[in-house]
Amino acid sequence: MSGTTDSETHDREDQDQDQKRDQDQGREQDRDTGRGQDRGTGQDQGEDQDQDQDHDLEVRRARWTAVGTGALLTVAGLAASALRSTGSATALIPVSYASGAAVCAVASVLGSRGRTRRALWLMIAGVMVMAVGDQFD
């Protein structure tokens, strides 16, 4: 026999659980405010800020790339549609170029809003639609 009663054992277990819960809440508060034990030195915080700035620069570059590429493909598709509509070809060819340009324009808008992955896929789809028009030519 251990010499402790059941109620004493339960009290000790409750105290242990309360302490553990308090520690977990303290860690969550530290994490929410950015004061973690592993973020102790100023050098670590400086490196985190550098990484955040690099990430922001990378995101900004991806957005501008998506916008620029989408706009370029839109202009190219509209120009090809205008050139093909003056010829004696069927109406399917200029419509194909124009619809591909419209898809690229939507991709450009999505890219400016940060949806660069969707913008990329839409640009690919728009170029494929323009390629169909080129095959009918």
Side-chain angles (χ1 to χ4, degrees):
M1 297 269 213
S2 64
T4 59
T5 63
D6 287 338
S7 62
E8 290 174 352
T9 305
H10 289 295
D11 289 341
R12 188 175 301 133
E13 289 174 359
D14 289 341
Q15 288 175 350
D16 291 342
Q17 289 176 354
D18 289 342
Q19 287 176 352
K20 185 176 180 181
R21 190 176 322 116
D22 290 342
Q23 289 174 351
D24 289 342
Q25 287 176 350
R27 285 188 197 123
E28 288 177 9
Q29 289 174 350
D30 286 346
R31 192 173 337 136
D32 291 341
T33 60
R35 294 184 323 230
Q37 294 171 345
D38 52 330
R39 291 181 168 246
T41 64
Q43 184 178 9
D44 291 341
Q45 290 176 353
E47 289 175 5
D48 289 341
Q49 288 176 350
D50 289 343
Q51 289 176 353
D52 289 342
Q53 289 175 352
D54 290 343
H55 179 69
D56 291 345
L57 181 65
E58 203 171 304
V59 168
R60 192 175 306 123
R61 189 178 303 141
R63 285 183 180 179
W64 279 107
T65 302
V67 169
T69 306
L72 180 70
L73 289 172
T74 300
V75 169
L78 290 176
S81 175
L83 288 173
R84 299 295 187 236
S85 64
T86 59
S88 62
T90 64
L92 181 64
I93 296 169
V95 168
S96 176
Y97 281 113
S99 60
V103 171
C104 289
V106 170
S108 180
V109 170
L110 283 178
S112 71
R113 295 184 179 176
R115 305 290 185 187
T116 53
R117 187 175 299 150
R118 290 182 182 142
L120 171 68
W121 286 108
L122 277 177
M123 281 186 260
I124 291 170
V127 169
M128 288 175 65
V129 169
M130 286 188 240
V132 168
D134 189 49
Q135 288 296 317
F136 286 126
D137 193 17

